[in-house]
Amino acid sequence: MKFLLVFVAFVLLPFGVTAQQRVALVVGNNAYEDVPVLEKAVADAEAIAAQLATLDFDVILATDVDRRTFNLKVSEMINRLEPGDTAFVFYAGHGVEIEGENYLLPVDILGSGGLSSDFVTSESIALSQLLDRIRRTGARTTLAILDACRDNPFPAVAGRSIGRPQGLGRIAAPEGTFVMFSAGAGQQALDALDRFDGSENSVFTRLLLPKLVEPGLELRQLIGQLRVEVRDLARSRDHAQFPAYYDELLGDFYFTSAASVPTVADSSVGVPLSLPRDLPALEDMGAVASSKTVSAAMDAVEIAAREVGASIFARVDYVAEAAALGLEAPEAEVLIFGEPQLEMAALSDNILSGLILPLKVLVFSHKGQTVIAYEYPEEIFDDLKLSRDQTYLDQMTALLDAIAQEAAL
């Protein structure tokens, strides 16, 4: 109860973003020499670059780059950036997560011969280091979008593998940075819907392109819509793909200037929210806005949870509980539930802590707006000092993301 009282007291402050210039590095790699080639990455990069050029971005386009060229293009971008600027990075190609770091692979990466993880990391571009280099330029806003969540291109040798089987891993984004992956942690991004799919762009990029030029679409609104559209399109082929994002921006961002900026009432539904950084209890939480009342939003959360077969452990109405005690409480509800399939996965992997880790979604009212929020599962594991498995945590996070988005709409 004390936590919730603190939680609902926060203020989401709007900050204006005024960048002196906008610089974009756009990279697409198809022609890999020693790992599987790709078909759509170059076309994706070229389409994004063309779109950004119409939006007053100074665009550096690079395709089928080896390691040296990749580094040269990064340096070129760094040299163009000045304090207060906006930096944008788009990458389409192979990527891999190794020991918690995400690496972007140049076309000359070696993929055979029993390579070690150390060799691969030394010959690739580490995403966190790239973002740190941009941050040191004094750029106010950094955006990074990666359509690189494909199958791991490195074959397992003698039972040993390099990196996770699919996709990229979660990232701790620096302050002032927004990072988006075309799929959730551990998920595979679709290049095509099926063999009859005639689009030259990947499923993610084809849906992103028109949103970049939609007037008045703030970044979080854009992302909220994009994630649902990608999820639904992939789901039409019985595939799970729900883009992940990591938001540490200091304010609003628009790719396209708006004649009139949308108001909270008509634009915030399903938009990922940035929670305040000055309250430690709210770190590493996900949150979206909803146009529903608290009670209606909680009903939607419960329905969405039940649709995935979740077991409902508790639903608490804090206003009603406080009234029964003659007290006042903020308008807030909490649903505690567990997803049986994930619990069975935890049991099969001998992660007994998973069986005592119910998921929790908070719904509360703040300044007339309903907020749906939840704590990322791996933070709960850390707080309780329980054993953890990244795949299991990623599955739970994706489930919470999906339930929050579904309930918000």
Side-chain angles (χ1 to χ4, degrees):
M1 182 63 182
K2 181 179 178 181
F3 168 76
L4 281 176
L5 288 173
V6 173
F7 187 82
V8 300
F10 73 82
V11 178
L12 294 175
L13 295 175
F15 295 89
V17 177
T18 305
Q20 296 176 356
Q21 64 174 342
R22 312 209 292 186
V23 181
L25 172 63
V26 181
V27 178
N29 285 340
N30 276 348
Y32 286 92
E33 300 169 6
D34 201 39
V35 299
V37 299
L38 299 175
E39 296 181 358
K40 299 179 184 288
V42 169
D44 286 346
E46 291 174 342
I48 292 291
Q51 201 80 295
L52 293 176
T54 69
L55 301 175
D56 296 324
F57 277 87
D58 179 8
V59 180
I60 302 168
L61 173 64
T63 59
D64 289 332
V65 292
D66 57 23
R67 179 173 175 269
R68 172 173 288 185
T69 305
F70 206 147
N71 279 312
L72 285 172
K73 294 300 180 182
V74 171
S75 293
E76 182 178 348
M77 179 192 200
I78 297 300
N79 289 335
R80 294 189 192 184
L81 287 170
E82 297 179 357
D85 287 351
T86 291
F88 180 83
V89 175
F90 178 87
Y91 173 77
H94 278 306
V96 64
E97 183 267 326
I98 300 175
E99 296 181 357
E101 175 63 273
N102 296 300
Y103 294 90
L104 313 182
L105 306 184
V107 295
D108 59 345
I109 189 72
L110 296 179
S112 57
L115 303 175
S116 68
S117 295
D118 287 345
F119 178 82
V120 172
T121 59
S122 67
E123 293 294 308
S124 306
I125 306 299
L127 177 59
S128 65
Q129 293 180 14
L130 170 58
L131 297 177
D132 283 342
R133 290 182 64 185
I134 293 174
R135 179 180 55 81
R136 290 196 295 269
T137 67
R140 176 181 174 82
T141 301
T142 301
L143 312 174
I145 296 181
L146 284 78
D147 194 355
C149 304
R150 297 173 171 85
D151 285 336
N152 188 328
F154 299 109
V157 177
R160 299 180 62 185
S161 60
I162 298 176
R164 68 166 70 213
Q166 290 180 337
L168 301 176
R170 292 186 62 188
I171 182 173
E175 182 177 308
T177 302
F178 190 102
V179 180
M180 186 174 196
F181 298 155
S182 58
Q187 292 182 337
Q188 179 194 22
L190 291 176
D191 271 348
L193 292 173
D194 51 43
R195 62 191 181 93
F196 302 108
D197 187 350
S199 175
E200 66 178 7
N201 297 121
S202 72
V203 168
F204 173 82
T205 299
R206 75 183 68 169
L207 294 173
L208 169 64
L209 283 165
K211 294 194 176 300
L212 296 179
V213 293
E214 187 173 334
L217 201 58
E218 200 278 326
L219 179 64
R220 281 79 167 200
Q221 183 185 10
L222 183 159
I223 296 304
Q225 295 178 6
L226 178 62
R227 297 176 83 208
V228 172
E229 291 177 12
V230 171
R231 180 201 64 188
D232 290 348
L233 188 55
R235 186 182 286 175
S236 72
R237 297 301 189 272
D238 295 323
H239 182 79
Q241 180 178 347
F242 194 55
Y245 69 94
Y246 307 92
D247 182 5
E248 293 294 340
L249 280 190
L250 298 176
D252 294 342
F253 179 83
Y254 295 84
F255 281 99
T256 304
S257 299
S260 60
V261 177
T263 64
V264 166
D266 62 17
S267 69
S268 64
V269 177
V271 177
L273 300 177
S274 293
L275 294 175
R277 299 170 56 86
D278 57 343
L279 294 177
L282 301 182
E283 290 179 357
D284 298 305
M285 295 189 73
V288 295
S290 173
S291 61
K292 301 180 176 72
T293 64
V294 169
S295 181
M298 179 55 77
D299 288 341
V301 168
E302 183 167 346
I303 291 171
R306 291 189 186 280
E307 284 181 348
V308 297
S311 299
I312 307 300
F313 298 133
R315 173 173 171 171
V316 180
D317 181 342
Y318 283 92
V319 174
E321 283 210 344
L325 298 173
L327 303 173
E328 291 186 5
E331 188 179 2
E333 296 192 39
V334 60
L335 183 76
I336 299 173
F337 66 95
E339 209 281 311
Q341 290 183 344
L342 295 185
E343 291 183 354
M344 290 306 297
L347 181 61
S348 65
D349 291 336
N350 197 30
I351 311 166
L352 298 181
S353 58
L355 301 177
I356 60 171
L357 186 64
L359 308 179
K360 179 171 65 177
V361 176
L362 297 167
V363 180
F364 61 94
S365 178
H366 174 69
K367 289 191 173 182
Q369 183 179 51
T370 297
V371 177
I372 301 173
Y374 57 89
E375 186 173 7
Y376 284 117
E378 69 178 39
E379 302 303 321
I380 302 174
F381 269 73
D382 289 341
D383 291 343
L384 299 178
K385 296 181 172 58
L386 298 173
S387 60
R388 52 187 291 179
D389 175 85
Q390 193 60 49
T391 299
Y392 176 58
L393 296 178
D394 290 341
Q395 288 175 321
M396 289 196 295
T397 300
L399 179 72
L400 285 163
D401 275 338
I403 286 175
Q405 282 285 344
E406 191 76 25
L409 301 179

